[in-house]
């Protein structure tokens, strides 16, 4: 199936690793021009090296999503390199784990700034380009926690619903401009971050990494976690020409993990 996004310009945030990097790769494979960004120069260089093997046009920018001036820089560099933007994929790192008694006011402010405010700023910064041409796709990465909270993830459980409410409302404002606005909510996905969390659990419990992973996998209906590519393909479909009448939705990609009907 031709997804019809060859030559489109996609900005993929928090993309030096994990799901963001897989999304960048999937866009390159579809022939889109891709801008990747993250805070760490070395991580970005490594990602660039890997993604260049796919071919296509790729540009990288050092960006801390918590900083307004960095988001401005991302726009300037994107326009300088590719002249426009068509697709915005909103992703950020974290949030840190913990329950109510484990997080302080600084953690709440940080998660607001990096995970929600960055999305608002990115859209404000790029939206005129999409409005002008009456074509755009905005997709935010949330989490299965929008359907069912996960214990010990109070920051994620809270902020993801804020993002979902924001995106749903925004979809109404942007529909007349032919700009679609959707969320993708992954379940457990085998990224470097999840590997590190499992390694940490293995150390703490004296078990092997494989043992911890086996035990975790048992709890999922498909008896495994997602590969980042399985999240990326849904993102790319939502960004495609074929998904032109899908807006204001959350697509859950959790292997059946959330026990709810919708
Ligand atoms: N993996 C899962 O099971 C899962 C499930 C549901 C939801 N999620 C959510 O999906 C998102 C990505 O998860 P992941 O597993 O792909 O994580 P990951 O492998 O740790 O990747 C996180 C990416 O975010 C970048 N980043 C972090 N903070 C940033 C900032 N302030 N500004 C710019 N870039 C930043 C990191 O790059 P630098 O370090 O180079 O900045 C890295 O490229 C997270 O919000 C996570 O909570 C993950």
């Amino acid at each position: 199936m031709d997804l019809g996004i060859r030559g489109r310009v996609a900005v993929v945030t928090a993309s030096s690793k994990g799901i963001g990097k897989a999304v960048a790769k999937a866009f390159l494979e579809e022939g889109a021009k891709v801008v990747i960004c993250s805070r760490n120069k070395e991580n970005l260089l490594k990602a660039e090296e890997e993604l260049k093997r796919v071919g296509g046009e790729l540009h990288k920018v050092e960006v801390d999503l918590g900083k307004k001036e960095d988001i401005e820089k991302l726009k300037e560099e994107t326009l300088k390199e590719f002249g426009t933007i068509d697709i915005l994929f909103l992703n950020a790192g974290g949030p840190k784990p913990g329950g109510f008694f484990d997080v302080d006011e600084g953690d709440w402010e940080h998660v607001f700034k990096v995970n929600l405010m960055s999305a608002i700023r990115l859209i404000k910064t790029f939206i005129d380009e999409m409005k002008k041409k009456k074509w755009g796709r905005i997709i935010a990465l949330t989490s299965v926690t929008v359907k069912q909270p996960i214990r010990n993830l109070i920051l994620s459980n809270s902020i993801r619903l804020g993002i979902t409410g924001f995106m749903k409302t925004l979809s109404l404002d942007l529909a007349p401009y032919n700009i679609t606005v959707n969320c993708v909510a992954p379940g457990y996905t085998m990224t470097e971050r999840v590997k590190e969390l499992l390694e940490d659990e293995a150390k703490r419990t004296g078990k092997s990494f494989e043992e911890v992973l086996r035990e975790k996998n048992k709890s999922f209906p498909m008896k495994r976690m997602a590969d980042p590519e399985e999240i990326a393909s849904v993102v790319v479909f939502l960004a495609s020409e074929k998904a032109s009448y899908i807006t204001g939705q959350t697509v859950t990609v959790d292997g059946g993990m959330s026990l709810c009907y919708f």
Side-chain angles (χ1 to χ4, degrees), residues 14-20 38-40 43 63-66 91-95 114-115 141-143 160 186-189 191-194:
S15 41
S16 66
K17 291 183 184 175
I19 297 171
S38 85
R39 297 160 302 180
N40 184 292
N43 292 345
V63 169
D64 182 340
L65 291 164
N91 175 35
V114 173
N115 294 81
L141 190 81
T142 58
S143 166
R160 307 293 186 194
Y188 280 88
T189 307
T191 61
E192 287 164 55
R193 178 166 180 260
V194 168

Side-chain angles (χ1 to χ4, degrees), residues 147-161:
K147 299 271 168 114
Q148 190 180 317
I150 294 181
R151 274 178 205 280
N152 214 38
L153 285 183
I154 197 163
L155 294 174
S156 177
N157 294 344
S158 307
I159 206 72
R160 307 293 186 194
L161 283 167

